[in-house]
Amino acid sequence: MFFVDILEFEGLGNRSYLVGGPRSAVVIDPPRDIDQVIAAAARRGVRIAFVAETHVHNDYVTGGLELARVTGARYLVPAAAHVSFARTPVADGDTVTVEEGLVLRALATPGHTPHHTSYVLAEDGRGVAAFTGGSLLIGAVGRPDLVEPRLTEQLARAQHASAHRLADELDDEVPVLPTHGFGSFCSSSQAEGDTTTIGRERATNDALTLDVDTFIAQMIAGLDDVPAYYAHMGPTNAAGPSPVDLTPPGRADAEEIASRLAAGEWVVDLRSRMAFAEEHVTGSFNFEGEGKLATYVAWLIPWGKPVTLLADTPEQITDAQRELTRVGIDRPAAAATGDPATWVRAGEQLASFPRARFADLADVRERGDDVVVLDVRRDSERAGGFIDGSVHIPIHELYGRIGEVPPGTVWVHCAAGMRAAIAASLLDAAGRDVVAVDDGFDAATEAGLILIRPDGTDCAGRRTPFSAGPTVRCWGAWSTDRR
């Protein structure tokens, strides 16, 4: 008998796996914070005999090197990966015996990276699970443009071939267990559902149902923005990441918070966007701890800038610290919790800004008020339709482009509210009057706001602008990024 335990990391949209039998196990694509992997193995009562990487990761810092060191496990890394540490190189067809009757076989599946390797678990000679990393995902494949733009088409072609190789070599009932595809920007598109098999992918995945040229053209056309911090992940993983330090950061009083803000450091408030809008330290930024914290902090922050964390409770600081280490933000400079009134010096006031719905924006426009509507969704989302007259600066570009936002009160929106809250905090810190639209984008049409496409037509295909007219509805046009 074998087991597969899934370790899920929703903030990054990834999974790791603990796989084994009664006595021994292998860990596939472990996270940076290895303590939870060790705890999972202890609960199973198994020894971690192997740690296996499918590739040198571009979206998070691996804990593989440290996990192998701590447990004494053999560290399996694709032979073609250029790394600076000792490991057990694995090539296509190599096998390791996890324990009697349970064998892990390496299967070369280039595409996401040139050296990408999947692993097939066989029990008594029969394939029972495929750990596909960034190769074959749930309804998608890993994106091929993260290594080198000049290699994108070549790697996309390799992805198509790798998907077919997996489908050709494995039976329909074999579970497909990828690392990416659950919100990770390493996926060429996002998963629908959280489980799949070779048979299901054979019937539905574009990589297995389209000819190679059509597949390549469609996938490359659909590739989205790459988080800026990805540029740091590959080199860190290739060099060999250092162990993490998860001890609590020092406590910051009001004087230290003010000093760090004055020095140009980032002070990140982890509280809900509702609480932040009501009262916050002037100059601080709001990245909700319950959202995609690590992705958006790491994407927006100038790399290496110190971060001080503010939260309701010490537990929220602990969770955020763990999340941030996974993307190489290793130690908060300081932290503070409790009543926000204690985060400002005597005589200073907390700041605030209003929140609103799309219906409120429609009312303001109906009255003829001169306001700026700022759309911080990504290019791919805006292509489906946008509010007539809105300004577009994607959230990941806003910190460096705030000076481009026209004068006036800024009503900022995204697809559901989380990114609008981040943007509102950036604008508020820069001294702008801002209203955070905390609403689902579908509500824009319901409120009577006119939506148009980038080509100058409305979502019904008519030319714009309109002086008046009925609500234009574009159902099904909006992104699945509901944040």
Side-chain angles (χ1 to χ4, degrees):
M1 293 293 294
F2 71 95
F3 69 88
V4 176
D5 288 345
I6 300 172
L7 287 75
E8 192 153 9
F9 306 97
E10 293 184 5
L12 293 178
N14 287 328
R15 289 177 173 179
S16 300
Y17 300 93
L18 176 71
V19 187
R23 294 172 299 278
S24 301
V26 56
V27 180
I28 311 289
D29 290 342
R32 179 89 182 278
D33 45 325
I34 63 172
D35 56 324
Q36 59 189 310
V37 181
I38 293 171
R43 287 192 295 271
R44 281 284 185 179
V46 295
R47 176 180 66 92
I48 297 176
F50 302 95
V51 177
E53 303 282 9
T54 57
H55 60 295
V56 175
H57 300 282
N58 291 295
D59 64 329
Y60 71 94
V61 180
T62 181
L65 183 63
E66 179 67 3
L67 182 60
R69 185 189 68 81
V70 168
T71 62
R74 287 173 60 190
Y75 191 24
L76 311 179
V77 178
H82 298 290
V83 296
S84 301
F85 48 83
R87 87 286 196 198
T88 299
V90 292
D92 186 48
D94 286 352
T95 61
V96 295
T97 300
V98 180
E99 59 179 61
E100 185 177 356
L102 203 60
V103 173
L104 195 71
R105 175 169 63 95
L107 194 69
T109 49
H112 186 48
T113 67
H115 60 264
H116 191 282
T117 301
S118 298
Y119 296 93
V120 176
L121 184 70
E123 183 180 45
D124 298 329
R126 181 178 61 89
V128 291
F131 301 94
T132 54
S135 183
L136 187 63
L137 311 183
I138 299 178
V141 294
R143 59 192 299 168
D145 61 328
L146 301 180
V147 176
E148 162 57 58
R150 292 172 296 182
L151 297 178
T152 296
E153 184 171 345
Q154 174 184 329
L155 290 177
R157 192 170 297 275
Q159 271 293 45
H160 187 271
S162 292
H164 279 265
R165 184 181 185 195
L166 286 162
D168 290 344
E169 294 200 14
L170 299 171
D171 295 334
D172 279 353
E173 65 271 17
V174 173
V176 174
L177 301 166
T179 301
H180 303 314
F182 308 95
S184 169
F185 282 88
C186 270
S187 176
S188 60
S189 62
Q190 294 311 310
E192 294 184 6
D194 58 5
T195 62
T196 193
T197 63
I198 289 292
R200 178 182 171 190
E201 294 309 305
R202 194 194 311 278
T204 61
N205 195 303
D206 283 352
L208 296 170
T209 60
L210 299 178
D211 67 86
V212 62
D213 291 329
T214 303
F215 165 76
I216 291 171
Q218 289 189 7
M219 180 172 64
I220 291 178
L223 291 174
D224 217 328
D225 301 298
V226 178
Y229 72 92
Y230 277 24
H232 304 280
M233 300 297 96
T236 296
N237 287 324
S242 59
V244 297
D245 179 2
L246 293 175
T247 57
R251 180 181 178 278
D253 59 16
E255 191 65 43
E256 182 176 355
I257 292 170
S259 175
R260 291 189 177 279
L261 282 168
E265 297 182 10
W266 273 34
V267 174
V268 170
D269 191 324
L270 303 168
R271 296 175 302 145
S272 74
R273 55 185 182 261
M274 292 75 75
F276 183 89
E278 184 174 336
E279 54 178 6
H280 58 267
V281 176
T282 300
S284 62
F285 302 142
N286 181 214
F287 291 80
E288 291 180 302
E290 297 300 316
K292 293 182 75 66
L293 171 70
T295 293
Y296 284 102
V297 171
W299 198 341
L300 271 65
I301 193 171
W303 197 251
K305 188 175 284 291
V307 178
T308 294
L309 301 178
L310 309 178
D312 291 318
T313 66
E315 291 75 20
Q316 290 171 329
I317 298 292
T318 298
D319 291 344
Q321 182 178 354
R322 180 180 290 273
E323 185 89 356
L324 291 172
T325 62
R326 294 172 184 158
V327 292
I329 301 176
D330 284 358
R331 290 287 299 164
T337 58
D339 184 354
T342 65
W343 301 343
V344 294
R345 296 172 295 193
E348 294 180 338
Q349 299 296 315
L350 292 166
S352 65
F353 54 76
R355 296 166 52 246
R357 315 290 284 185
F358 281 110
D360 301 313
L361 176 58
D363 290 343
V364 167
R365 282 191 150 190
E366 181 69 22
R367 293 198 306 264
D369 293 0
D370 186 17
V371 299
V372 178
V373 179
L374 177 62
D375 180 351
V376 296
R377 296 173 302 156
R378 295 188 299 277
D379 291 344
S380 59
E381 297 172 276
R382 188 169 170 89
F386 57 86
I387 295 173
D388 187 19
S390 62
V391 176
H392 181 226
I393 302 177
I395 182 63
H396 57 276
E397 299 178 9
L398 181 60
Y399 183 69
R401 297 177 59 189
I402 285 179
E404 299 177 27
V405 180
T409 299
V410 183
W411 288 61
V412 59
H413 78 85
C414 59
M418 185 198 78
R419 289 172 292 171
I422 296 172
S425 72
L426 298 177
L427 290 158
D428 178 75
R432 297 298 301 270
D433 291 330
V434 64
V435 177
V437 178
D438 194 356
D439 207 354
F441 194 62
D442 285 343
T445 55
E446 296 168 4
L449 293 165
I450 292 172
L451 306 182
I452 61 175
R453 294 191 182 100
D455 64 3
T457 63
D458 68 38
C459 291
R462 297 171 295 194
R463 301 300 300 177
T464 59
F466 298 100
S467 57
T471 298
V472 178
R473 301 189 181 276
C474 303
W475 303 118
W478 316 124
S479 165
T480 56
D481 189 345
R482 308 302 299 164
R483 296 182 291 277

